[in-house]
PDB file of all heavy atoms in Angstrom:
ATOM      1  N   HIS L   1     -36.446  19.220  -5.959  1.00 96.00           N
ATOM      2  CA  HIS L   1     -35.675  20.391  -5.515  1.00 96.00           C
ATOM      3  C   HIS L   1     -34.656  20.012  -4.447  1.00 96.00           C
ATOM      4  O   HIS L   1     -34.485  20.685  -3.427  1.00 96.00           O
ATOM      5  CB  HIS L   1     -36.606  21.507  -5.003  1.00 96.00           C
ATOM      6  CG  HIS L   1     -37.600  21.950  -6.024  1.00 96.00           C
ATOM      7  ND1 HIS L   1     -37.266  22.698  -7.129  1.00 96.00           N
ATOM      8  CD2 HIS L   1     -38.938  21.717  -6.132  1.00 96.00           C
ATOM      9  CE1 HIS L   1     -38.349  22.898  -7.875  1.00 96.00           C
ATOM     10  NE2 HIS L   1     -39.373  22.323  -7.286  1.00 96.00           N
ATOM     11  N   VAL L   2     -33.990  18.889  -4.710  1.00 97.00           N
ATOM     12  CA  VAL L   2     -32.954  18.388  -3.824  1.00 97.00           C
ATOM     13  C   VAL L   2     -31.585  18.821  -4.357  1.00 97.00           C
ATOM     14  O   VAL L   2     -31.360  18.865  -5.571  1.00 97.00           O
ATOM     15  CB  VAL L   2     -33.031  16.851  -3.735  1.00 97.00           C
ATOM     16  CG1 VAL L   2     -31.778  16.269  -3.095  1.00 97.00           C
ATOM     17  CG2 VAL L   2     -34.265  16.418  -2.960  1.00 97.00           C
ATOM     18  N   ASN L   3     -30.669  19.144  -3.476  1.00 97.00           N
ATOM     19  CA  ASN L   3     -29.297  19.471  -3.864  1.00 97.00           C
ATOM     20  C   ASN L   3     -28.481  18.176  -3.950  1.00 97.00           C
ATOM     21  O   ASN L   3     -28.329  17.461  -2.954  1.00 97.00           O
ATOM     22  CB  ASN L   3     -28.667  20.419  -2.849  1.00 97.00           C
ATOM     23  CG  ASN L   3     -29.452  21.718  -2.723  1.00 97.00           C
ATOM     24  OD1 ASN L   3     -29.640  22.434  -3.697  1.00 97.00           O
ATOM     25  ND2 ASN L   3     -29.939  22.019  -1.520  1.00 97.00           N
ATOM     26  N   VAL L   4     -27.982  17.887  -5.135  1.00 97.00           N
ATOM     27  CA  VAL L   4     -27.318  16.601  -5.370  1.00 97.00           C
ATOM     28  C   VAL L   4     -25.820  16.789  -5.577  1.00 97.00           C
ATOM     29  O   VAL L   4     -25.398  17.594  -6.408  1.00 97.00           O
ATOM     30  CB  VAL L   4     -27.915  15.893  -6.599  1.00 97.00           C
ATOM     31  CG1 VAL L   4     -27.256  14.524  -6.796  1.00 97.00           C
ATOM     32  CG2 VAL L   4     -29.421  15.739  -6.465  1.00 97.00           C
ATOM     33  N   ASP L   5     -25.018  16.038  -4.831  1.00 98.00           N
ATOM     34  CA  ASP L   5     -23.581  15.909  -5.076  1.00 98.00           C
ATOM     35  C   ASP L   5     -23.313  14.508  -5.615  1.00 98.00           C
ATOM     36  O   ASP L   5     -23.848  13.525  -5.103  1.00 98.00           O
ATOM     37  CB  ASP L   5     -22.782  16.105  -3.783  1.00 98.00           C
ATOM     38  CG  ASP L   5     -22.602  17.572  -3.425  1.00 98.00           C
ATOM     39  OD1 ASP L   5     -22.999  18.447  -4.228  1.00 98.00           O
ATOM     40  OD2 ASP L   5     -22.071  17.857  -2.328  1.00 98.00           O
ATOM     41  N   VAL L   6     -22.490  14.433  -6.637  1.00 98.00           N
ATOM     42  CA  VAL L   6     -22.073  13.145  -7.184  1.00 98.00           C
ATOM     43  C   VAL L   6     -20.570  13.014  -6.986  1.00 98.00           C
ATOM     44  O   VAL L   6     -19.808  13.925  -7.310  1.00 98.00           O
ATOM     45  CB  VAL L   6     -22.414  13.029  -8.681  1.00 98.00           C
ATOM     46  CG1 VAL L   6     -21.908  11.693  -9.239  1.00 98.00           C
ATOM     47  CG2 VAL L   6     -23.917  13.167  -8.911  1.00 98.00           C
ATOM     48  N   TYR L   7     -20.158  11.873  -6.445  1.00 98.00           N
ATOM     49  CA  TYR L   7     -18.733  11.636  -6.232  1.00 98.00           C
ATOM     50  C   TYR L   7     -18.351  10.307  -6.878  1.00 98.00           C
ATOM     51  O   TYR L   7     -18.964   9.277  -6.619  1.00 98.00           O
ATOM     52  CB  TYR L   7     -18.406  11.588  -4.741  1.00 98.00           C
ATOM     53  CG  TYR L   7     -16.964  11.215  -4.444  1.00 98.00           C
ATOM     54  CD1 TYR L   7     -15.933  12.133  -4.630  1.00 98.00           C
ATOM     55  CD2 TYR L   7     -16.625   9.939  -3.991  1.00 98.00           C
ATOM     56  CE1 TYR L   7     -14.613  11.800  -4.375  1.00 98.00           C
ATOM     57  CE2 TYR L   7     -15.310   9.591  -3.725  1.00 98.00           C
ATOM     58  CZ  TYR L   7     -14.307  10.524  -3.922  1.00 98.00           C
ATOM     59  OH  TYR L   7     -12.986  10.183  -3.673  1.00 98.00           O
ATOM     60  N   ASP L   8     -17.327  10.344  -7.743  1.00 97.00           N
ATOM     61  CA  ASP L   8     -16.852   9.125  -8.387  1.00 97.00           C
ATOM     62  C   ASP L   8     -15.371   9.271  -8.697  1.00 97.00           C
ATOM     63  O   ASP L   8     -14.991  10.030  -9.592  1.00 97.00           O
ATOM     64  CB  ASP L   8     -17.631   8.837  -9.677  1.00 97.00           C
ATOM     65  CG  ASP L   8     -17.380   7.430 -10.193  1.00 97.00           C
ATOM     66  OD1 ASP L   8     -16.226   6.974 -10.127  1.00 97.00           O
ATOM     67  OD2 ASP L   8     -18.340   6.760 -10.661  1.00 97.00           O
ATOM     68  N   PRO L   9     -14.501   8.557  -7.973  1.00 96.00           N
ATOM     69  CA  PRO L   9     -13.055   8.693  -8.181  1.00 96.00           C
ATOM     70  C   PRO L   9     -12.575   8.167  -9.526  1.00 96.00           C
ATOM     71  O   PRO L   9     -11.436   8.420  -9.915  1.00 96.00           O
ATOM     72  CB  PRO L   9     -12.462   7.858  -7.026  1.00 96.00           C
ATOM     73  CG  PRO L   9     -13.544   6.880  -6.658  1.00 96.00           C
ATOM     74  CD  PRO L   9     -14.833   7.581  -6.899  1.00 96.00           C
ATOM     75  N   TRP L  10     -13.417   7.432 -10.246  1.00 96.00           N
ATOM     76  CA  TRP L  10     -13.017   6.864 -11.527  1.00 96.00           C
ATOM     77  C   TRP L  10     -13.328   7.777 -12.708  1.00 96.00           C
ATOM     78  O   TRP L  10     -12.757   7.617 -13.785  1.00 96.00           O
ATOM     79  CB  TRP L  10     -13.742   5.530 -11.747  1.00 96.00           C
ATOM     80  CG  TRP L  10     -13.206   4.417 -10.926  1.00 96.00           C
ATOM     81  CD1 TRP L  10     -13.541   4.121  -9.635  1.00 96.00           C
ATOM     82  CD2 TRP L  10     -12.234   3.446 -11.314  1.00 96.00           C
ATOM     83  NE1 TRP L  10     -12.840   3.026  -9.204  1.00 96.00           N
ATOM     84  CE2 TRP L  10     -12.030   2.595 -10.218  1.00 96.00           C
ATOM     85  CE3 TRP L  10     -11.514   3.202 -12.489  1.00 96.00           C
ATOM     86  CZ2 TRP L  10     -11.134   1.521 -10.259  1.00 96.00           C
ATOM     87  CZ3 TRP L  10     -10.624   2.144 -12.535  1.00 96.00           C
ATOM     88  CH2 TRP L  10     -10.438   1.322 -11.426  1.00 96.00           C
ATOM     89  N   VAL L  11     -14.202   8.713 -12.533  1.00 96.00           N
ATOM     90  CA  VAL L  11     -14.785   9.447 -13.653  1.00 96.00           C
ATOM     91  C   VAL L  11     -14.043  10.754 -13.940  1.00 96.00           C
ATOM     92  O   VAL L  11     -13.614  11.450 -13.024  1.00 96.00           O
ATOM     93  CB  VAL L  11     -16.283   9.723 -13.367  1.00 96.00           C
ATOM     94  CG1 VAL L  11     -16.852  10.780 -14.295  1.00 96.00           C
ATOM     95  CG2 VAL L  11     -17.078   8.424 -13.500  1.00 96.00           C
ATOM     96  N   ASP L  12     -13.910  11.069 -15.215  1.00 93.00           N
ATOM     97  CA  ASP L  12     -13.358  12.347 -15.654  1.00 93.00           C
ATOM     98  C   ASP L  12     -14.432  13.431 -15.502  1.00 93.00           C
ATOM     99  O   ASP L  12     -15.485  13.366 -16.126  1.00 93.00           O
ATOM    100  CB  ASP L  12     -12.914  12.244 -17.117  1.00 93.00           C
ATOM    101  CG  ASP L  12     -12.281  13.533 -17.629  1.00 93.00           C
ATOM    102  OD1 ASP L  12     -13.023  14.431 -18.041  1.00 93.00           O
ATOM    103  OD2 ASP L  12     -11.043  13.620 -17.594  1.00 93.00           O
ATOM    104  N   CYS L  13     -14.159  14.423 -14.659  1.00 94.00           N
ATOM    105  CA  CYS L  13     -15.160  15.446 -14.340  1.00 94.00           C
ATOM    106  C   CYS L  13     -15.560  16.273 -15.562  1.00 94.00           C
ATOM    107  O   CYS L  13     -16.733  16.625 -15.723  1.00 94.00           O
ATOM    108  CB  CYS L  13     -14.643  16.360 -13.232  1.00 94.00           C
ATOM    109  SG  CYS L  13     -14.473  15.495 -11.628  1.00 94.00           S
ATOM    110  N   ALA L  14     -14.604  16.571 -16.419  1.00 93.00           N
ATOM    111  CA  ALA L  14     -14.900  17.347 -17.630  1.00 93.00           C
ATOM    112  C   ALA L  14     -15.840  16.568 -18.547  1.00 93.00           C
ATOM    113  O   ALA L  14     -16.758  17.130 -19.152  1.00 93.00           O
ATOM    114  CB  ALA L  14     -13.607  17.693 -18.357  1.00 93.00           C
ATOM    115  N   GLU L  15     -15.631  15.255 -18.645  1.00 94.00           N
ATOM    116  CA  GLU L  15     -16.492  14.411 -19.469  1.00 94.00           C
ATOM    117  C   GLU L  15     -17.909  14.358 -18.889  1.00 94.00           C
ATOM    118  O   GLU L  15     -18.896  14.417 -19.619  1.00 94.00           O
ATOM    119  CB  GLU L  15     -15.914  12.993 -19.565  1.00 94.00           C
ATOM    120  CG  GLU L  15     -16.677  12.096 -20.541  1.00 94.00           C
ATOM    121  CD  GLU L  15     -16.144  10.671 -20.592  1.00 94.00           C
ATOM    122  OE1 GLU L  15     -15.208  10.349 -19.830  1.00 94.00           O
ATOM    123  OE2 GLU L  15     -16.679   9.866 -21.379  1.00 94.00           O
ATOM    124  N   ALA L  16     -18.007  14.260 -17.556  1.00 96.00           N
ATOM    125  CA  ALA L  16     -19.314  14.222 -16.893  1.00 96.00           C
ATOM    126  C   ALA L  16     -20.084  15.513 -17.139  1.00 96.00           C
ATOM    127  O   ALA L  16     -21.296  15.489 -17.383  1.00 96.00           O
ATOM    128  CB  ALA L  16     -19.145  13.979 -15.398  1.00 96.00           C
ATOM    129  N   GLU L  17     -19.378  16.631 -17.096  1.00 96.00           N
ATOM    130  CA  GLU L  17     -20.029  17.918 -17.338  1.00 96.00           C
ATOM    131  C   GLU L  17     -20.467  18.031 -18.797  1.00 96.00           C
ATOM    132  O   GLU L  17     -21.568  18.506 -19.083  1.00 96.00           O
ATOM    133  CB  GLU L  17     -19.102  19.067 -16.964  1.00 96.00           C
ATOM    134  CG  GLU L  17     -19.796  20.422 -17.052  1.00 96.00           C
ATOM    135  CD  GLU L  17     -18.997  21.558 -16.466  1.00 96.00           C
ATOM    136  OE1 GLU L  17     -17.794  21.359 -16.145  1.00 96.00           O
ATOM    137  OE2 GLU L  17     -19.563  22.644 -16.306  1.00 96.00           O
ATOM    138  N   HIS L  18     -19.621  17.570 -19.706  1.00 94.00           N
ATOM    139  CA  HIS L  18     -19.938  17.639 -21.132  1.00 94.00           C
ATOM    140  C   HIS L  18     -21.121  16.752 -21.495  1.00 94.00           C
ATOM    141  O   HIS L  18     -22.019  17.155 -22.237  1.00 94.00           O
ATOM    142  CB  HIS L  18     -18.718  17.242 -21.956  1.00 94.00           C
ATOM    143  CG  HIS L  18     -18.960  17.235 -23.443  1.00 94.00           C
ATOM    144  ND1 HIS L  18     -19.297  16.091 -24.145  1.00 94.00           N
ATOM    145  CD2 HIS L  18     -18.950  18.249 -24.352  1.00 94.00           C
ATOM    146  CE1 HIS L  18     -19.469  16.397 -25.418  1.00 94.00           C
ATOM    147  NE2 HIS L  18     -19.262  17.699 -25.575  1.00 94.00           N
ATOM    148  N   GLU L  19     -21.146  15.531 -20.954  1.00 93.00           N
ATOM    149  CA  GLU L  19     -22.170  14.561 -21.325  1.00 93.00           C
ATOM    150  C   GLU L  19     -23.494  14.803 -20.608  1.00 93.00           C
ATOM    151  O   GLU L  19     -24.570  14.631 -21.193  1.00 93.00           O
ATOM    152  CB  GLU L  19     -21.681  13.137 -21.018  1.00 93.00           C
ATOM    153  CG  GLU L  19     -20.546  12.662 -21.919  1.00 93.00           C
ATOM    154  CD  GLU L  19     -20.941  12.551 -23.376  1.00 93.00           C
ATOM    155  OE1 GLU L  19     -22.103  12.198 -23.656  1.00 93.00           O
ATOM    156  OE2 GLU L  19     -20.087  12.850 -24.234  1.00 93.00           O
ATOM    157  N   TYR L  20     -23.432  15.185 -19.329  1.00 95.00           N
ATOM    158  CA  TYR L  20     -24.656  15.237 -18.523  1.00 95.00           C
ATOM    159  C   TYR L  20     -24.904  16.574 -17.823  1.00 95.00           C
ATOM    160  O   TYR L  20     -25.905  16.733 -17.129  1.00 95.00           O
ATOM    161  CB  TYR L  20     -24.625  14.113 -17.472  1.00 95.00           C
ATOM    162  CG  TYR L  20     -24.542  12.735 -18.093  1.00 95.00           C
ATOM    163  CD1 TYR L  20     -23.384  11.967 -17.973  1.00 95.00           C
ATOM    164  CD2 TYR L  20     -25.608  12.204 -18.802  1.00 95.00           C
ATOM    165  CE1 TYR L  20     -23.298  10.712 -18.534  1.00 95.00           C
ATOM    166  CE2 TYR L  20     -25.529  10.948 -19.376  1.00 95.00           C
ATOM    167  CZ  TYR L  20     -24.366  10.203 -19.240  1.00 95.00           C
ATOM    168  OH  TYR L  20     -24.286   8.956 -19.802  1.00 95.00           O
ATOM    169  N   GLY L  21     -23.973  17.511 -17.985  1.00 95.00           N
ATOM    170  CA  GLY L  21     -24.156  18.816 -17.360  1.00 95.00           C
ATOM    171  C   GLY L  21     -24.042  18.813 -15.854  1.00 95.00           C
ATOM    172  O   GLY L  21     -24.590  19.679 -15.178  1.00 95.00           O
ATOM    173  N   ILE L  22     -23.341  17.836 -15.307  1.00 93.00           N
ATOM    174  CA  ILE L  22     -23.136  17.799 -13.862  1.00 93.00           C
ATOM    175  C   ILE L  22     -21.645  17.869 -13.539  1.00 93.00           C
ATOM    176  O   ILE L  22     -20.800  17.401 -14.315  1.00 93.00           O
ATOM    177  CB  ILE L  22     -23.750  16.538 -13.210  1.00 93.00           C
ATOM    178  CG1 ILE L  22     -23.119  15.257 -13.779  1.00 93.00           C
ATOM    179  CG2 ILE L  22     -25.250  16.490 -13.414  1.00 93.00           C
ATOM    180  CD1 ILE L  22     -23.601  13.999 -13.053  1.00 93.00           C
ATOM    181  N   GLN L  23     -21.342  18.462 -12.393  1.00 95.00           N
ATOM    182  CA  GLN L  23     -19.964  18.592 -11.941  1.00 95.00           C
ATOM    183  C   GLN L  23     -19.752  17.734 -10.702  1.00 95.00           C
ATOM    184  O   GLN L  23     -20.148  18.120  -9.599  1.00 95.00           O
ATOM    185  CB  GLN L  23     -19.635  20.055 -11.625  1.00 95.00           C
ATOM    186  CG  GLN L  23     -19.557  20.951 -12.864  1.00 95.00           C
ATOM    187  CD  GLN L  23     -19.168  22.373 -12.483  1.00 95.00           C
ATOM    188  OE1 GLN L  23     -19.766  22.974 -11.593  1.00 95.00           O
ATOM    189  NE2 GLN L  23     -18.178  22.928 -13.151  1.00 95.00           N
ATOM    190  N   PRO L  24     -19.147  16.564 -10.845  1.00 96.00           N
ATOM    191  CA  PRO L  24     -18.885  15.732  -9.666  1.00 96.00           C
ATOM    192  C   PRO L  24     -17.987  16.455  -8.673  1.00 96.00           C
ATOM    193  O   PRO L  24     -17.107  17.228  -9.064  1.00 96.00           O
ATOM    194  CB  PRO L  24     -18.178  14.498 -10.243  1.00 96.00           C
ATOM    195  CG  PRO L  24     -18.571  14.468 -11.683  1.00 96.00           C
ATOM    196  CD  PRO L  24     -18.707  15.900 -12.090  1.00 96.00           C
ATOM    197  N   VAL L  25     -18.216  16.218  -7.386  1.00 96.00           N
ATOM    198  CA  VAL L  25     -17.368  16.816  -6.355  1.00 96.00           C
ATOM    199  C   VAL L  25     -16.073  16.019  -6.270  1.00 96.00           C
ATOM    200  O   VAL L  25     -16.041  14.809  -6.522  1.00 96.00           O
ATOM    201  CB  VAL L  25     -18.075  16.854  -4.990  1.00 96.00           C
ATOM    202  CG1 VAL L  25     -19.302  17.753  -5.064  1.00 96.00           C
ATOM    203  CG2 VAL L  25     -18.477  15.454  -4.502  1.00 96.00           C
ATOM    204  N   SER L  26     -14.991  16.713  -5.919  1.00 94.00           N
ATOM    205  CA  SER L  26     -13.681  16.056  -5.861  1.00 94.00           C
ATOM    206  C   SER L  26     -13.320  15.567  -4.464  1.00 94.00           C
ATOM    207  O   SER L  26     -12.462  14.702  -4.300  1.00 94.00           O
ATOM    208  CB  SER L  26     -12.599  17.008  -6.372  1.00 94.00           C
ATOM    209  OG  SER L  26     -12.641  18.232  -5.655  1.00 94.00           O
ATOM    210  N   THR L  27     -13.966  16.146  -3.460  1.00 94.00           N
ATOM    211  CA  THR L  27     -13.710  15.735  -2.075  1.00 94.00           C
ATOM    212  C   THR L  27     -15.032  15.539  -1.328  1.00 94.00           C
ATOM    213  O   THR L  27     -16.066  16.079  -1.723  1.00 94.00           O
ATOM    214  CB  THR L  27     -12.866  16.781  -1.324  1.00 94.00           C
ATOM    215  OG1 THR L  27     -13.534  18.060  -1.390  1.00 94.00           O
ATOM    216  CG2 THR L  27     -11.479  16.898  -1.938  1.00 94.00           C
ATOM    217  N   LEU L  28     -14.963  14.773  -0.258  1.00 95.00           N
ATOM    218  CA  LEU L  28     -16.144  14.507   0.557  1.00 95.00           C
ATOM    219  C   LEU L  28     -15.953  15.080   1.952  1.00 95.00           C
ATOM    220  O   LEU L  28     -14.854  15.011   2.513  1.00 95.00           O
ATOM    221  CB  LEU L  28     -16.392  12.996   0.646  1.00 95.00           C
ATOM    222  CG  LEU L  28     -16.758  12.294  -0.675  1.00 95.00           C
ATOM    223  CD1 LEU L  28     -16.785  10.786  -0.490  1.00 95.00           C
ATOM    224  CD2 LEU L  28     -18.099  12.801  -1.175  1.00 95.00           C
ATOM    225  N   THR L  29     -17.024  15.629   2.487  1.00 95.00           N
ATOM    226  CA  THR L  29     -16.983  16.239   3.819  1.00 95.00           C
ATOM    227  C   THR L  29     -17.921  15.485   4.755  1.00 95.00           C
ATOM    228  O   THR L  29     -19.075  15.217   4.404  1.00 95.00           O
ATOM    229  CB  THR L  29     -17.406  17.714   3.754  1.00 95.00           C
ATOM    230  OG1 THR L  29     -16.633  18.392   2.751  1.00 95.00           O
ATOM    231  CG2 THR L  29     -17.193  18.405   5.084  1.00 95.00           C
ATOM    232  N   ASP L  30     -17.432  15.155   5.924  1.00 96.00           N
ATOM    233  CA  ASP L  30     -18.246  14.436   6.910  1.00 96.00           C
ATOM    234  C   ASP L  30     -19.419  15.281   7.402  1.00 96.00           C
ATOM    235  O   ASP L  30     -19.373  16.517   7.367  1.00 96.00           O
ATOM    236  CB  ASP L  30     -17.389  13.999   8.093  1.00 96.00           C
ATOM    237  CG  ASP L  30     -16.470  12.822   7.748  1.00 96.00           C
ATOM    238  OD1 ASP L  30     -16.635  12.245   6.644  1.00 96.00           O
ATOM    239  OD2 ASP L  30     -15.602  12.471   8.574  1.00 96.00           O
ATOM    240  N   HIS L  31     -20.461  14.608   7.863  1.00 97.00           N
ATOM    241  CA  HIS L  31     -21.636  15.214   8.509  1.00 97.00           C
ATOM    242  C   HIS L  31     -22.337  16.244   7.609  1.00 97.00           C
ATOM    243  O   HIS L  31     -22.824  17.269   8.083  1.00 97.00           O
ATOM    244  CB  HIS L  31     -21.231  15.887   9.842  1.00 97.00           C
ATOM    245  CG  HIS L  31     -20.293  15.072  10.675  1.00 97.00           C
ATOM    246  ND1 HIS L  31     -20.606  13.793  11.109  1.00 97.00           N
ATOM    247  CD2 HIS L  31     -19.039  15.339  11.143  1.00 97.00           C
ATOM    248  CE1 HIS L  31     -19.583  13.319  11.809  1.00 97.00           C
ATOM    249  NE2 HIS L  31     -18.623  14.233  11.833  1.00 97.00           N
TER     250      HIS L  31
END
């Protein structure tokens, strides 16, 4: 029950959602 963010500047977000049902974040926030 952990909240997971995935960040990958190389990956197509639409493809990630289609293949694995996850939405990578587009930006990162400190702290």
Side-chain angles (χ1 to χ4, degrees):
H1 302 288
V2 166
N3 301 302
V4 183
D5 280 354
V6 177
Y7 175 75
D8 193 320
W10 285 84
V11 165
D12 182 276
C13 293
E15 187 183 3
E17 186 170 10
H18 178 265
E19 291 296 326
Y20 300 111
I22 60 174
Q23 290 182 309
V25 296
S26 55
T27 56
L28 295 172
T29 308
D30 286 351
H31 317 302

